[in-house]
Amino acid sequence: MHLAEVCNHHYPNVPRIILWLMVELAIIGSDMQEVIGCAIAFNLLSSGRIPLWGGVLITIIDTFFFLFLDKYGLRKLEAFFGLLITIMAITFGYEYVAVGPNQANLLKGMFVPYCEGCGPVQLAQAVGIVGAVIMPHNIYLHSALVKSREVDRSSRNEVKEANKYFFIEACLALFVSFLINVFVVAVFAEAFYGRTNSEVFTVCNQTGSPHSQLFPQNNDTLEVDIYKGGVLLGCFFGPAALYIWAVGILAAGQSSTMTGTYSGQFVMEGFLNLRWSRFARVLLTRSLAITPTLLVAIFQDIQHLTGMNDFLNVLQSLQLPFALIPILTFTSLPSVMNEFVNGLVMKVGGGLLILMVCCINLYFVVIYVTALHSVWLYVVAALLCVSYLTFVGYLAWLCLIALGISCLDPSTRSPSDTSILIEQQPEFES
């Protein structure tokens, strides 16, 4: 069984449905980001001739293109996904070489945790990066994709060897993702940090950029998003940098569509035992993603659209506990993993990682709520925060029981009884 199926098998009905809704929320948020990214890419590639709302509508087409590829099988899709990742690595790598950031400072920032003059805004961006890199629904996706490999699961040696290669595959994928994100962050930091709107307006105006009006003629510090980033690259490093940046964003959006569609399929089938066609699944998530994005694109400006993208990154980070806690819980259960159960190092390391993510999210929520200026918003935010923390606490409680802290299990009948609460209740066997 993959992770969603194990959750269906062990969690009670109400927590299982809530957990499914949280994962679906992450998937829809990811799809909205794909729509935003593709709309921005089309706008940049067409030099503004395709409006943002037009780019949003064009993303409907890639839905059908993806469904067309689906009939050729999973391996072909994996190859296409690899092509998209290669395009991202090449395009963002080109930007990295063109900008040429200071390598010593880059390595220092990579290995020495510090941030001079950082505040809530910078923290929100950091939380967003975590959510953008480690999307929670992708954890469910990878746990399901390994089932497509031909492995004799009755053979201990074959399973052990398969785990080794799955580990190598995951490490390579994460390393490539890490490099791509290093390229993007380093390019923005080196090229745009500390610049003013007036300085950027002057440079863009001199190069004849049609987007120079994006930057007011004042001495305020420049604020950059994925749209302005492409414009600035074109102003400072030539039109080729702008178009290559747009192609990279487009490739990232398409890869997000693929992962979101497949993870949504596995999540729905695993949690609810529903068998929807991928066509119906894609149409549902894309409709939910396009509607609010299209409204913002029509009635608001690019700042609101990119601001929505930043918020969605943070949303992904807030959803991370709903993937990390279940996977640590069930990989620590001998009844699920048998001899491949987590050891002490994995239990402690995984627990500390989850605790760190939860603390970061909690701090961000506090900062976000204190920035509100309405009593009603305070009330709504407080209710959402309490609900969120309560459910995370519930999952963490079950996780601690699975990690071996049996004193937290009210169903333990004797000191020698190490049975786990979530394995004893009959409703978990549904």
Side-chain angles (χ1 to χ4, degrees):
M1 293 188 292
H2 56 73
L3 181 57
E5 292 172 334
V6 175
C7 290
N8 179 32
H9 187 70
H10 288 274
Y11 283 134
N13 288 332
V14 174
R16 173 168 56 88
I17 296 299
I18 296 175
L19 186 60
W20 168 68
L21 290 174
M22 293 298 100
V23 179
E24 289 288 353
L25 182 62
I27 294 172
I28 293 172
S30 173
D31 210 40
M32 290 178 67
Q33 289 180 293
E34 186 273 328
V35 172
I36 293 172
C38 287
I40 290 174
F42 287 127
N43 184 271
L44 291 175
L45 289 171
S46 65
S47 299
R49 295 182 181 88
I50 298 178
L52 292 172
W53 61 265
V56 171
L57 293 177
I58 291 175
T59 59
I60 299 175
I61 299 175
D62 67 28
T63 301
F64 297 100
F65 174 71
F66 174 73
L67 292 172
F68 171 76
L69 286 178
D70 182 59
K71 69 178 183 178
Y72 290 102
L74 183 60
R75 294 294 175 266
K76 300 294 189 301
L77 281 172
E78 287 181 338
F80 181 67
F81 186 66
L83 174 64
L84 293 175
I85 293 177
T86 302
I87 292 174
M88 284 189 285
I90 293 174
T91 53
F92 296 139
Y94 170 86
E95 307 289 359
Y96 180 84
V97 173
V99 172
N102 185 292
Q103 301 303 307
N105 289 337
L106 178 69
L107 292 174
K108 179 182 177 182
M110 193 178 296
F111 294 103
V112 180
Y114 78 100
C115 185
E116 296 179 2
C118 290
V121 175
Q122 290 74 23
L123 179 64
Q125 292 174 341
V127 172
I129 290 174
V130 173
V133 175
I134 314 173
M135 290 190 173
H137 55 278
N138 281 351
I139 296 176
Y140 287 88
L141 173 64
H142 283 281
S143 73
L145 287 179
V146 296
K147 291 182 64 178
S148 66
R149 305 298 195 266
E150 295 294 335
V151 178
D152 182 6
R153 288 170 172 80
S154 62
S155 171
R156 177 185 181 279
N157 290 332
E158 283 202 29
V159 172
K160 188 175 182 179
E161 183 180 15
N163 284 338
K164 180 182 72 173
Y165 288 113
F166 290 147
F167 176 76
I168 295 173
E169 180 184 18
C171 288
L172 288 175
L174 290 174
F175 179 70
V176 172
S177 175
F178 172 75
L179 284 182
I180 291 174
N181 282 277
V182 167
F183 291 159
V184 174
V185 174
V187 165
F188 273 48
E190 179 69 21
F192 313 132
Y193 179 74
R195 297 188 184 275
T196 63
N197 289 322
S198 178
E199 178 185 358
V200 172
F201 175 85
T202 301
V203 174
C204 289
N205 197 39
Q206 289 175 349
T207 57
S209 171
H211 306 284
S212 57
Q213 71 278 2
L214 285 172
F215 311 101
Q217 299 184 55
N218 56 44
N219 290 322
D220 293 343
T221 302
L222 176 68
E223 294 184 4
V224 184
D225 49 48
I226 60 173
Y227 182 80
K228 288 182 179 179
V231 172
L232 288 169
L233 288 171
C235 293
F236 283 85
F237 303 100
L242 183 150
Y243 293 120
I244 291 173
W245 172 259
V247 170
I249 294 176
L250 190 61
Q254 298 309 304
S255 66
S256 177
T257 296
M258 294 177 64
T259 57
T261 300
Y262 265 94
S263 57
Q265 186 79 13
F266 291 128
V267 164
M268 180 173 286
E269 291 178 357
F271 275 102
L272 305 179
N273 289 323
L274 290 179
R275 296 292 187 268
W276 278 25
S277 68
R278 288 196 177 92
F279 181 83
R281 171 74 208 183
V282 171
L283 286 183
L284 174 64
T285 55
R286 183 51 57 91
S287 299
L288 293 174
I290 280 182
T291 302
T293 309
L294 183 61
L295 292 175
V296 173
I298 293 175
F299 297 107
Q300 299 293 338
D301 52 18
I302 184 63
Q303 281 77 17
H304 288 85
L305 199 62
T306 54
M308 178 188 289
N309 187 61
D310 294 337
F311 170 77
L312 291 171
N313 277 337
V314 175
L315 176 66
Q316 299 292 340
S317 181
L318 291 173
Q319 301 301 314
L320 268 177
F322 303 126
L324 296 179
I325 294 178
I327 201 168
L328 179 62
T329 299
F330 298 121
T331 55
S332 300
L333 284 178
S335 61
V336 175
M337 300 300 295
N338 297 319
E339 60 185 292
F340 298 100
V341 68
N342 284 337
L344 180 61
V345 174
M346 288 297 297
K347 289 180 179 179
V348 174
L352 291 176
L353 175 63
I354 293 173
L355 180 62
M356 181 181 68
V357 171
C358 291
C359 289
I360 292 173
N361 289 341
L362 180 61
Y363 178 77
F364 170 75
V365 168
V366 171
I367 294 297
Y368 181 79
V369 171
T370 54
L372 299 175
H373 302 289
S374 170
V375 175
W376 290 109
L377 291 178
Y378 276 123
V379 173
V380 173
L383 292 175
L384 291 176
C385 290
V386 170
S387 302
Y388 174 84
L389 294 175
T390 300
F391 188 56
V392 170
Y394 171 80
L395 295 178
W397 168 58
L398 295 181
C399 183
L400 290 173
I401 296 174
L403 291 175
I405 307 179
S406 57
C407 62
L408 297 177
D409 186 354
S411 64
T412 301
R413 291 180 291 273
S414 67
S416 61
D417 186 358
T418 58
S419 58
I420 303 299
L421 172 64
I422 56 177
E423 293 183 305
Q424 289 185 347
Q425 296 187 4
E427 61 264 34
F428 296 152
E429 302 300 324
S430 60

